[in-house]
């Protein structure tokens, strides 16, 4: 082996090593930074790249795909002093490999820390109820703050999602009790409302019924009055007709009627069950008078005698129909 | 061993080239292919020209080093665009699209809501509700201008 031989072999080895050092294949989804003597010069994009061996070195291999990092669990105190345990996830993507390499020492840790502190500040400004019900708003606020904060690092945070919010167990239990009480209250109120409504309806019904009854009574009274009026009218008419008939005819016909009624009434008194009391007619003589009236009618019918009796009857005839008048001396 | 190598002569190169190509298939890395091609080239030339083995080795190294720039030039000539031009370039994919400002642009910077996330935008001041068009992507932020109409 001459020196030349050794030189040639070393030269080949160097050529091969140079090839190794100069040809860089960057796969899709990554960007490599190139440092010339330690100073950043350019970024290699996916595909076949050549760099100058000896001068250039690959610095960082940056993943430019969107990445998910877990935001670890932490305890947060809300505005109303409830201690809750919160964890989440953050999605971010590197847009500028150089900045992500050299502007920040440990990108993932920086983003996680930033997110955690901001979760604290955002949730610390809210009540527990708000924290539990306004996750969208929390995510939005976190995103805006963190995204603005990471912009110097050539990174964009696409989303930050709060995963679990766990209040302490006693608080959860209290919340459950509160909800139950709320429901019970609502049920009670509804029941009372129903009762009230039904009472009102019932009273309304009663009122209506009473009104209707009163109206019925009023109507009936009106009708009764009308009937009485009609009856009185008829009576008056009958009386008028009778008196007209009397005016046209003889008074003795009237006397007959009265005598007839008188006798019948007397018979009624006699038949009454109370045998001890015997009602005497007001004027015993007027009975005779009515008898005389009857005889007078007979005379007038059959003609002839008994004019004295007839005159007596005529004298008393004026008193008989006058019922309710003062008793006359017989 | 050495005797065998000397006896084979030119075939050494061809055998080495084929082996390197085979290795490239087994362990993909772009450099073994260039070495293999260079070895094959040297072998073919050795069939025609009778030259010293040292010269052959130097030629092999030279070919290997030259292969990469040559290949790049050939590749650059028939550039076919990749199937997905905007893979991992989300900001560039937004260029030309028009969006409505939720919050005003103040002092040249603001935010726009796009695809359920918030993008930082730089551009002329504009009130909330006005429409802006993305003209350029600068890293993780977008340059916008007032959209016509």
């Amino acid at each position: 082996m001459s020196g030349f031989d050794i030189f040639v072999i070393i030269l080949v080895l160097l050529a091969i090593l140079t090839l190794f050092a100069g040809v860089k294949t960057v796969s899709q989804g990554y960007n490599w930074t190139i440092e010339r003597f330690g100073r950043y010069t350019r970024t290699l994009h996916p595909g076949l790249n050549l760099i100058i061996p000896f001068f250039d070195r690959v610095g960082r291999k940056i993943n430019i795909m969107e990445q998910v990092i877990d935001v670890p669990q932490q305890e947060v105190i809300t505005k109303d002093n409830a201690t809750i345990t919160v964890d989440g996830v953050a999605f971010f993507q590197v847009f500028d490999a150089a900045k992500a390499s050299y502007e920040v020492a440990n990108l993932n840790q920086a983003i996680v820390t930033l997110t955690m502190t901001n979760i604290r500040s955002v949730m610390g400004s809210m009540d527990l109820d708000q924290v539990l019900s306004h996750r969208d708003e929390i995510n939005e606020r976190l995103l805006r703050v963190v995204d603005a904060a990471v912009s110097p690092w050539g990174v964009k945070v696409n989303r930050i999602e709060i995963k679990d919010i766990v209040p302490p167990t006693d608080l959860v239990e209290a919340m459950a009790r509160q909800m139950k009480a709320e429901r019970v209250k609502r049920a009670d109120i509804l029941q009372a409302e129903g009762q009230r409504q039904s009472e009102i309806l019932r009273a309304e019904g009663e009122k209506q019924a009473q009104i209707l009854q009163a109206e019925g009574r009023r109507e009936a009274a009106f009708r009764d009055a009308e009937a009485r009026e009609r009856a009185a009218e008829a009576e008056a008419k009958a009386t008028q007709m009778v008196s007209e008939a009397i005016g046209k005819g003889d008074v003795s016909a009237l006397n007959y009627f009265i005598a007839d009624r008188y006798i019948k009434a007397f018979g009624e008194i006699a038949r009454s069950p109370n045998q001890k009391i015997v009602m005497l007619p007001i004027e015993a003589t007027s009975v005779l008078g009515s008898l005389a009236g009857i005889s007078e009618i007979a005379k007038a019918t059959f003609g002839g005698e008994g004019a004295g009796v007839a005159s007596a009857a005529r004298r008393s005839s004026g008193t008989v129909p006058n019922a309710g008048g003062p008793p006359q001396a017989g | 061993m050495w005797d065998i190598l000397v006896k084979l002569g030119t075939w050494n190169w061809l055998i080495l080239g084929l082996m390197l190509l085979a290795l490239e298939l087994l362990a993909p890395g772009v450099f073994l292919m260039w070495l293999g091609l260079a070895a094959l080239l040297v072998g073919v030339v050795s069939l025609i020209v009778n030259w010293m083995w040292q010269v052959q080795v130097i030629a092999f190294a030279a070919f290997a080093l030259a292969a990469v720039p040559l290949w790049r030039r050939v590749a650059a000539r028939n550039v076919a665009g990749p199937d997905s031009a905007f893979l991992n370039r989300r900001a560039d994919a937004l260029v030309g699209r028009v969006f409505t400002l939720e919050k005003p642009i103040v002092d040249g910077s603001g935010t726009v809501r796009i695809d359920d996330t918030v993008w930082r935008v730089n551009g002329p001041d504009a009130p909330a509700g006005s429409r802006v068009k993305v003209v350029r992507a600068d890293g993780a932020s977008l340059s916008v201008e007032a959209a016509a109409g």
Side-chain angles (χ1 to χ4, degrees):
Chain A
M1 290 282 277
S2 65
F4 179 62
D5 293 353
I6 295 169
F7 167 75
V8 165
I9 289 167
I10 289 175
L11 191 71
V12 168
L13 286 176
L14 185 67
I16 291 167
L17 286 176
T18 305
L19 206 59
F20 269 88
V23 179
K24 294 292 173 195
T25 309
V26 180
S27 52
Q28 184 71 49
Y30 288 86
N31 276 0
W32 293 3
T33 59
I34 297 301
E35 297 167 5
R36 178 162 300 174
F37 298 122
R39 187 169 149 272
Y40 167 79
T41 51
R42 65 200 179 98
T43 303
L44 297 188
H45 294 282
L48 184 69
N49 291 277
L50 292 184
I51 59 172
I52 302 166
F54 308 109
F55 298 94
D56 291 345
R57 279 184 48 244
V58 174
R60 304 279 165 82
K61 299 178 178 178
I62 298 291
N63 184 343
I64 56 165
M65 296 180 267
E66 190 165 347
Q67 297 171 69
V68 187
I69 37 175
D70 268 314
V71 180
Q73 276 207 340
Q74 57 169 339
E75 295 214 324
V76 177
I77 297 177
T78 59
K79 192 176 172 185
D80 48 357
N81 296 329
T83 309
I84 51 177
T85 313
V86 181
D87 65 347
V89 284
F91 293 75
F92 72 96
Q93 189 175 13
V94 176
F95 278 77
D96 190 328
K99 282 183 178 173
S101 305
Y102 305 112
E103 290 281 358
V104 58
N106 188 338
L107 183 65
N108 283 23
Q109 195 199 336
I111 291 175
V112 167
T113 312
L114 196 62
T115 310
M116 281 174 81
T117 51
N118 276 294
I119 286 175
R120 281 220 182 99
S121 61
V122 168
M123 287 193 174
S125 66
M126 289 174 139
D127 289 342
L128 177 64
D129 289 346
Q130 271 182 303
V131 166
L132 290 172
S133 58
H134 290 62
R135 290 201 189 194
D136 288 355
E137 196 188 311
I138 295 170
N139 292 344
E140 175 88 9
R141 277 171 70 181
L142 282 173
L143 179 61
R144 281 184 190 276
V145 175
V146 176
D147 188 37
V150 299
S151 63
W153 307 336
V155 174
K156 170 158 175 27
V157 174
N158 285 325
R159 3 175 26 97
I160 294 175
E161 299 275 350
I162 300 296
K163 273 204 303 199
D164 279 335
I165 299 176
V166 186
T169 45
D170 52 348
L171 243 178
V172 172
E173 198 246 335
M175 284 197 295
R177 276 217 317 274
Q178 182 194 344
M179 201 186 78
K180 190 178 162 191
E182 194 77 39
R183 308 251 155 173
V184 169
K185 175 186 156 193
R186 264 200 300 211
D188 286 354
I189 288 175
L190 274 173
Q191 212 166 356
E193 277 275 326
Q195 233 159 358
R196 174 170 165 254
Q197 288 275 25
S198 69
E199 296 277 342
I200 288 173
L201 280 171
R202 213 168 288 142
E204 282 271 328
E206 268 171 36
K207 177 185 159 193
Q208 205 70 13
Q210 281 177 359
I211 287 173
L212 281 170
Q213 274 176 358
E215 276 195 348
R217 281 204 306 274
R218 176 165 163 259
E219 192 74 13
F222 267 105
R223 298 270 165 110
D224 280 349
E226 223 169 274
R228 283 225 306 278
E229 263 172 41
R230 289 283 305 120
E233 261 174 39
E235 194 86 27
K237 217 164 187 169
T239 312
Q240 199 184 347
M241 280 166 83
V242 169
S243 55
E244 263 174 26
I246 290 167
K248 275 181 192 156
D250 201 344
V251 83
S252 46
L254 187 62
N255 276 348
Y256 161 74
F257 276 114
I258 291 166
D260 185 38
R261 290 276 172 91
Y262 204 89
I263 298 294
K264 269 186 185 157
F266 202 65
E268 289 282 326
I269 291 164
R271 262 202 310 276
S272 90
N274 209 339
Q275 297 275 345
K276 294 200 174 147
I277 298 170
V278 177
M279 294 276 291
L280 278 178
I282 299 162
E283 301 167 24
T285 53
S286 50
V287 181
L288 302 175
S290 38
L291 289 176
I294 296 168
S295 70
E296 205 161 306
I297 293 163
K299 273 184 194 142
T301 313
F302 305 119
E305 62 280 352
V309 182
S311 69
R314 243 193 321 267
R315 208 174 34 238
S316 63
S317 68
T319 65
V320 174
N322 202 358
Q328 287 176 330
Chain B
M1 178 72 196
W2 192 254
D3 296 343
I4 294 170
L5 281 179
V6 171
K7 204 186 291 175
L8 285 173
T10 299
W11 291 106
N12 278 324
W13 289 114
L14 297 174
I15 291 163
L16 178 71
L18 291 177
M19 277 171 65
L20 284 169
L21 287 178
L23 274 175
E24 169 69 29
L25 289 179
L26 290 174
V30 186
F31 35 84
L32 284 181
M33 183 170 73
W34 310 128
L35 297 179
L37 288 175
L40 287 177
L41 195 63
V42 172
V44 170
V45 173
S46 303
L47 287 175
I48 303 158
V49 182
N50 190 12
W51 49 5
M52 285 167 57
W53 69 268
Q54 291 92 338
V55 181
Q56 287 179 21
V57 169
I58 291 169
F60 165 70
F63 283 147
L65 288 178
V68 176
L70 279 174
W71 183 83
R72 271 177 63 101
R73 195 163 300 171
V74 171
R77 207 171 297 157
N78 48 19
V79 169
D83 285 346
S84 175
F86 290 122
L87 201 59
N88 299 123
R89 291 166 56 210
R90 233 174 269 187
D92 297 327
L94 296 172
V95 173
R97 282 177 66 179
V98 176
F99 299 101
T100 305
L101 288 177
E102 264 190 15
K103 297 189 174 172
I105 296 180
V106 180
D107 299 333
S109 66
T111 55
V112 168
R113 214 179 164 73
I114 301 171
D115 301 338
D116 201 32
T117 179
V118 177
W119 287 76
R120 292 184 300 276
V121 294
N122 307 311
D125 287 12
S130 54
R131 291 156 60 78
V132 292
K133 187 177 177 190
V134 181
V135 290
R136 197 175 61 251
D138 332 314
S141 65
L142 306 169
S143 288
V144 297
E145 61 181 18

